[in-house]
Amino acid sequence: MSRPPGESERSDIPEATAAPRSRGRMQIVWLVPLIAVLIGGWLAVKAILEQGPTITISFETGEGIEAGKTKIKFKNVDIGMVKSVTLSGDHRGVVATAELSKDATSLLVDDTRFWVVRPRISGGTVSGIGTLLSGSFIGMDVGAATKARQHYKGLETPPVIATGVPGREFVLKGEDIGSLDVGSPIYYRRLQVGQITSYELDPNGKGVTMHVFVNAPYDRYVKPDTRFWQASGINVSLDTSGVKVDTESLVAILIGGLAFRTPDDTADQPQADMHTVFTLFHDRAEAMRRHERIVDTYVLNFKESVRGLTVGAPLDFLGIEVGEVAAIHTRFDRVTRQFSIPVEVRFYPERFTSRYTAGEPGGRVAGDRRQLAQWLVEHGLRAQLRTANLLTGQRYIALDLFPNAPKATMNWNTSPPEMPTVPGGLQSLQDSVTTLVAKLNKIPFEGIGNDARQTLRDADMLVKRLDKEVAPQALQTLAAAQTALNSANNALQPDTAVQASTADAMQELARTAAAFRTLADYLERHPEALIRGKPGDSK
């Protein structure tokens, strides 16, 4: 059998057979994109797993906050970054959205605080100076709560005390804040032991409430009876003892501050609890004034000027302060049509103490205080206004015993009861002068003057009559007297007959006296001679 030409040549070439591709094998070229996808997925998952929480912080203003630049720091360590800053829905503030590191998740609790750190001068302290070069950042303070939170309201001022600082916080109630501010120091025995953390106006608008923090270990000196007062600047006071100047430190003079102290008799009390409320006094004298448990109120009715007497002036008993002036009023008596000044005083009976010799018991005034007051008044106890300081004109009320005072009793029918008074020393002097002037006004000086002028005229007439009638006769009498004196003088001159006769007479009297002396001596020796005669005279 013959083949077509060329057929034998094609039959010698084997035919190709299609082999089926195995589905379980993959070409190596696809490994590269697969590995890339796996790496990308792993990176994405890692990024998601390592991504920290996202929070929002609202502020009143966006000053110092920039997206992508402003960092969030805790203890000066970067823990996040602000990603965006937008206006709030009501356009009253801004909302900063920030991303924090995963390690900061446990820090985002309910009472965590955020604030913008800027250069500040407050309460005598300077903070945020480093931000002048590095720019502002958001500070963070971790709270003690356990509840998580993602939306926060930022503080406009940084907190004074960070969470975890040892110490305790207390609350002060005062009438006004004075020159104090957040961060103002608190002193104990002139040592700075704390600061003011915040303050606010009371809802009724009648005072302020301050929160203060006292650092440990000084917080243990705050007791339930501790007194706080304003130590701002220099306190200059004028009282009954003169001029007083008091201050805590130079810092207190410049920026103000507070101080506290516990009275010695209550220093052994236990420590005050945290958030205990205390009264804030204006100065140390007011704060450390003794707080009496028993207070009796009386009214002292004065009928003289009370200029110089102020509320708070002392009530003095024999040099001991036993009370103070509480109020000063005026009263008009419609019956007598006279004004008086009722002064309301607070009397502290516990200040009457008795001290005896060592070893003997003493005690305070006890029993019926009303009966004691009545007894004292019946024995001359009176209230009197007195001047405490001549320089300032300040006055006080003295309780003293006046045994010669008019009889009086306590008026228990009024509320408060009224205690009798006596005029002050100056008032008594003024009354005496007034009485003297009144008596002088009753003297008829005009009539006395007329009588005196009439008497002078009569005396003038008498002088003229004496000059005309009596004077010539008096001159003649004086001339005659002068003549007699001259004659007597001539008679008494030496070598005159009268002088010689007088000398002879005197010699004769001397001889006669000698004879009488001889006779007396003889008779004294011979008294019988008066009867018998002298011996030898028998004839």
Side-chain angles (χ1 to χ4, degrees):
M1 181 177 176
S2 63
R3 298 179 180 178
E7 180 179 352
S8 60
E9 296 176 0
R10 288 194 299 268
S11 61
D12 294 337
I13 299 174
E15 295 181 0
T17 304
R21 186 175 59 178
S22 177
R23 296 182 178 179
R25 299 176 63 186
M26 183 178 62
Q27 297 181 359
I28 192 172
V29 71
W30 295 103
L31 291 176
V32 176
L34 180 59
I35 293 173
V37 171
L38 292 175
I39 293 174
W42 176 77
L43 292 175
V45 172
K46 182 180 179 181
I48 294 174
L49 293 176
E50 293 182 353
Q51 183 180 7
T54 300
I55 62 173
T56 59
I57 310 172
S58 59
F59 294 98
E60 292 185 0
T61 177
E63 180 185 359
I65 305 175
E66 296 184 40
K69 292 185 178 180
T70 302
K71 299 178 180 180
I72 298 179
K73 294 185 178 183
F74 176 64
K75 294 185 180 297
N76 209 28
V77 175
D78 296 345
I79 60 172
M81 178 73 70
V82 175
K83 295 301 182 181
S84 65
V85 181
T86 60
L87 289 174
S88 61
D90 57 2
H91 297 170
R92 294 184 178 180
V94 298
V95 177
T97 303
E99 291 183 1
L100 278 67
S101 62
K102 186 178 180 179
D103 296 338
T105 303
S106 60
L107 304 179
L108 301 176
V109 293
D110 189 59
D111 53 351
T112 297
R113 299 176 290 182
F114 295 90
W115 66 94
V116 179
V117 178
R118 309 183 185 97
R120 298 177 186 273
I121 300 177
S122 177
T125 60
V126 180
S127 61
I129 296 298
T131 60
L132 293 174
L133 300 176
S134 62
S136 301
F137 62 90
I138 296 178
M140 177 181 176
D141 180 47
V142 180
T146 57
K147 182 181 177 181
R149 186 176 177 182
Q150 289 185 332
H151 305 284
Y152 296 90
K153 180 175 179 58
L155 304 176
E156 296 304 317
T157 57
V160 179
I161 302 298
T163 304
V165 175
R168 286 180 294 165
E169 187 179 71
F170 303 99
V171 181
L172 305 182
K173 296 282 188 178
E175 294 183 358
D176 55 68
I177 195 172
S179 59
L180 302 173
D181 196 1
V182 173
S184 294
I186 299 176
Y187 296 94
Y188 177 71
R189 297 186 182 274
R190 301 188 186 276
L191 295 175
Q192 184 173 345
V193 298
Q195 50 274 326
I196 298 175
T197 58
S198 63
Y199 60 86
E200 59 184 356
L201 186 67
D202 292 343
N204 58 9
K206 295 183 179 180
V208 294
T209 300
M210 303 182 199
H211 295 266
V212 299
F213 188 86
V214 180
N215 302 320
Y218 306 105
D219 58 335
R220 64 182 177 179
Y221 300 115
V222 180
K223 307 299 180 66
D225 194 32
T226 296
R227 319 287 172 79
F228 286 82
W229 67 87
Q230 294 192 17
S232 304
I234 300 176
N235 294 325
V236 180
S237 60
L238 293 174
D239 54 16
T240 57
S241 59
V243 181
K244 292 183 178 180
V245 180
D246 187 21
T247 184
E248 288 293 328
S249 67
L250 180 60
V251 176
I253 295 176
L254 298 176
I255 65 173
L258 298 177
F260 69 89
R261 188 82 176 269
T262 303
D264 294 337
D265 54 352
T266 58
D268 297 333
Q269 292 181 346
Q271 300 179 19
D273 297 331
M274 184 176 289
H275 303 298
T276 300
V277 179
F278 295 93
T279 300
L280 178 61
F281 297 93
H282 282 288
D283 51 42
R284 186 180 188 277
E286 182 183 0
M288 299 305 295
R289 183 176 298 169
R290 187 174 179 177
H291 293 185
E292 304 294 335
R293 295 175 298 174
I294 302 176
V295 180
D296 294 336
T297 303
Y298 296 98
V299 169
L300 310 175
N301 193 29
F302 294 99
K303 296 183 178 179
E304 56 186 294
S305 174
V306 295
R307 174 180 288 274
L309 185 69
T310 59
V311 174
L315 180 67
D316 183 282
F317 177 73
L318 299 180
I320 300 175
E321 187 175 337
V322 295
E324 62 181 350
V325 175
I328 303 175
H329 308 284
T330 57
R331 178 190 298 171
F332 178 71
D333 192 334
R334 297 180 181 274
V335 178
T336 61
R337 299 290 178 177
Q338 292 181 349
F339 284 95
S340 60
I341 310 296
V343 177
E344 187 175 328
V345 298
R346 286 190 289 264
F347 179 72
Y348 309 128
E350 287 187 315
R351 296 193 180 182
F352 279 88
T353 58
S354 55
R355 303 292 182 187
Y356 302 104
T357 57
E360 295 188 6
R364 300 188 177 189
V365 173
D368 189 352
R369 298 194 300 276
R370 178 171 176 174
Q371 183 178 0
L372 175 63
Q374 183 67 35
W375 183 86
L376 289 173
V377 169
E378 290 177 355
H379 285 76
L381 182 68
R382 300 291 186 272
Q384 185 183 51
L385 280 174
R386 293 180 181 176
T387 300
N389 193 308
L390 295 176
L391 179 63
T392 62
Q394 288 184 320
R395 306 179 78 179
Y396 69 100
I397 297 178
L399 293 178
D400 210 338
L401 296 175
F402 298 87
N404 298 326
K407 296 295 182 181
T409 59
M410 289 287 298
N411 185 3
W412 301 104
N413 297 324
T414 60
S415 181
E418 184 173 332
M419 183 179 292
T421 63
V422 295
L426 294 178
Q427 183 65 29
S428 300
L429 178 61
Q430 182 178 350
D431 293 341
S432 300
V433 173
T434 302
T435 303
L436 177 61
V437 171
K439 291 182 179 180
L440 291 176
N441 289 335
K442 294 180 180 180
I443 299 176
F445 288 103
E446 184 176 358
I448 294 175
N450 295 332
D451 294 342
R453 284 193 292 271
Q454 182 63 36
T455 302
L456 290 175
R457 285 194 293 268
D458 294 343
D460 184 62
M461 294 176 61
L462 178 61
V463 169
K464 292 180 179 180
R465 183 176 179 182
L466 289 174
D467 185 54
K468 293 180 180 180
E469 299 180 2
V470 179
Q473 297 180 1
L475 291 175
Q476 294 176 3
T477 302
L478 289 175
Q482 182 67 33
T483 303
L485 289 174
N486 293 333
S487 300
N489 186 31
N490 294 329
L492 294 176
Q493 292 294 327
D495 300 333
T496 60
V498 175
Q499 184 69 21
S501 299
T502 302
D504 293 341
M506 293 300 294
Q507 292 177 359
E508 188 64 26
L509 287 175
R511 287 193 295 269
T512 303
F516 274 109
R517 187 180 300 107
T518 302
L519 177 61
D521 292 339
Y522 180 80
L523 292 177
E524 182 178 2
R525 294 191 302 271
H526 304 281
E528 69 277 5
L530 292 174
I531 300 175
R532 299 177 180 178
K534 185 176 181 182
D537 289 340
S538 58
K539 292 182 180 181

